[in-house]
């Protein structure tokens, strides 16, 4: 894909439309963020397959993707206005803006992802009932490290668990439409009625290597935001080699 001026203009126009939509309909932000995570999360660093390539729109029958059609349909209204923008770019840009409009950090976005020609979901996504080994197996397969695992788990500050998707019901924080460090603060507190903790959340406190990051982010939101922005960008670019910009004479 050539990053010519026309494509970059389309990206900026899509960014503007996504921001306007999500600012007026913030309730869609959590599922949009989940869309971005799940499209990227199939990446296999050794096989060089999967990743943020837009293929998730053909993978909605995967039980791990239950409910994500809502986000795919939401993004389709922007795609219709900007057909030149790849689905791969659109979904990752939407995820970044979902974080931004709910009060989270500004995450740099580099366009140029190409859409996969076929279904790519060979890499498993995290199971909420998994243990520390499961989390490491999944995220290390993507090429992410322990800090990435913990800080990206902080995205649970947005949204809620749904019985038909994860087997759990309830939000992770008191304000599920505000991106902050309350997920980590709550992890260190006793369980509260109405709030959910997956086994994969609780293991972040049980595992010593994970726990030190939980404690850091619960105490220091600024550091959480800085690390989150780094890891989210990293996740959104798994297997992606940014193309060179083409400047027309």
């Amino acid at each position: 894909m050539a990053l010519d001026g026309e494509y970059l203009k389309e990206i900026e126009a899509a960014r503007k439309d996504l921001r306007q939509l999500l600012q007026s309909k913030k309730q869609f932000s959590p599922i949009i963020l989940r869309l971005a995570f799940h499209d990227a999360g199939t990446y296999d660093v050794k096989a060089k397959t999967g990743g943020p390539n837009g293929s998730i729109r053909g993978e909605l029958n995967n039980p791990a993707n239950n409910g994500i059609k809502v986000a795919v349909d939401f993004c389709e209204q922007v795609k219709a206005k900007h057909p030149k923008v790849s689905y791969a770019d659109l979904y990752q840009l939407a995820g970044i803006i979902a974080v931004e409009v709910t009060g989270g950090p500004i995450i740099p976005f580099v366009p140029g992802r190409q859409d996969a020609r076929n279904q790519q979901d060979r890499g498993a996504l995290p199971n909420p009932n998994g243990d520390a080994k499961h989390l490491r197996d999944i995220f290390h397969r993507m090429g992410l490290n322990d800090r990435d695992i913990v800080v990206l788990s902080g995205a649970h500050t947005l949204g809620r668990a749904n019985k038909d998707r994860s087997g759990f019901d309830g939000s992770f924080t008191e304000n599920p439409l505000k991106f902050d460090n309350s997920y980590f603060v709550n992890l260190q507190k006793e369980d509260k009625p109405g709030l959910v903790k997956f086994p994969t959340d609780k293991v972040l406190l049980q595992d010593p290597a994970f726990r030190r990051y939980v404690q850091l982010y619960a105490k220091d939101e600024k550091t959480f935001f800085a690390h989150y922005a780094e890891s989210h960008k990293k996740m959104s670019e798994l297997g992606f080699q940014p193309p060179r910009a083409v400047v027309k004479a």
Side-chain angles (χ1 to χ4, degrees):
M1 177 185 291
L3 283 187
D4 57 25
E6 187 176 347
Y7 188 80
L8 294 176
K9 285 180 181 178
E10 284 293 300
I11 284 288
E12 290 312 306
R15 184 198 298 269
K16 182 179 178 181
D17 287 343
L18 283 166
R19 183 179 291 110
Q20 186 175 40
L21 278 169
L22 286 169
Q23 282 176 334
S24 64
K25 298 180 179 180
K26 286 186 181 178
Q27 69 271 24
F28 285 92
S29 295
I31 193 68
I32 293 293
L33 184 56
R34 186 164 168 249
L35 167 66
F37 266 69
H38 282 223
D39 196 38
T42 57
Y43 187 63
D44 187 314
V45 69
K46 292 182 179 178
K48 308 297 183 189
T49 57
N53 54 29
S55 67
I56 192 170
R57 68 194 190 281
E59 301 160 4
L60 299 177
N61 289 332
N62 181 341
N65 293 331
N66 285 348
I68 285 182
K69 186 178 186 300
V70 172
V72 169
D73 291 345
F74 184 94
C75 289
E76 199 61 37
Q77 58 192 315
V78 178
K79 176 69 171 175
K81 289 180 66 177
H82 309 286
K84 291 183 179 180
V85 174
S86 69
Y87 281 104
D89 273 349
L90 181 64
Y91 295 159
Q92 294 310 315
L93 181 58
I96 283 169
I97 293 172
V99 171
E100 180 184 325
V101 302
T102 51
I106 304 299
I107 302 165
F109 176 77
V110 179
R113 295 164 188 76
Q114 291 189 336
D115 290 334
R117 295 182 179 179
N118 48 44
Q119 188 170 323
Q120 295 279 312
D121 66 345
R122 297 172 187 166
L125 294 162
N127 184 318
N129 291 295
D131 57 11
K133 181 181 183 301
H134 170 73
L135 282 177
R136 288 191 171 99
D137 286 347
I138 297 292
F139 282 89
H140 290 183
R141 184 211 70 223
M142 298 180 206
L144 301 176
N145 58 37
D146 280 6
R147 194 187 86 172
D148 296 322
I149 292 172
V150 180
V151 77
L152 290 173
S153 295
H156 276 165
T157 187
L158 293 185
R160 57 175 290 117
N162 293 274
K163 198 80 174 177
D164 62 330
R165 299 173 191 175
S166 65
F168 296 83
D169 187 57
S171 60
F172 300 91
T173 63
E174 288 82 357
N175 188 343
L177 292 179
K178 182 180 181 183
F179 196 101
D180 57 18
N181 69 336
S182 59
Y183 165 81
F184 298 106
V185 173
N186 287 348
L187 265 186
Q188 299 183 103
K189 295 180 179 178
E190 292 184 7
D191 294 355
K192 284 185 179 181
L195 295 184
V196 170
K197 293 177 184 176
F198 290 161
T200 45
D201 297 319
K202 293 180 178 180
V203 79
L204 300 182
L205 269 185
Q206 297 162 357
D207 183 277
F210 290 154
R211 184 171 60 242
R212 66 190 184 98
Y213 291 115
V214 172
Q215 293 169 338
L216 171 62
Y217 300 145
K219 182 175 65 175
D220 188 345
E221 186 176 78
K222 184 176 180 180
T223 297
F224 165 51
F225 275 26
H227 288 182
Y228 181 87
E230 290 175 9
S231 292
H232 187 121
K233 183 177 186 294
K234 182 178 177 182
M235 176 199 71
S236 77
E237 296 178 353
L238 292 172
F240 168 54
Q241 296 296 325
R244 291 186 303 170
V246 175
V247 180
K248 292 183 179 180

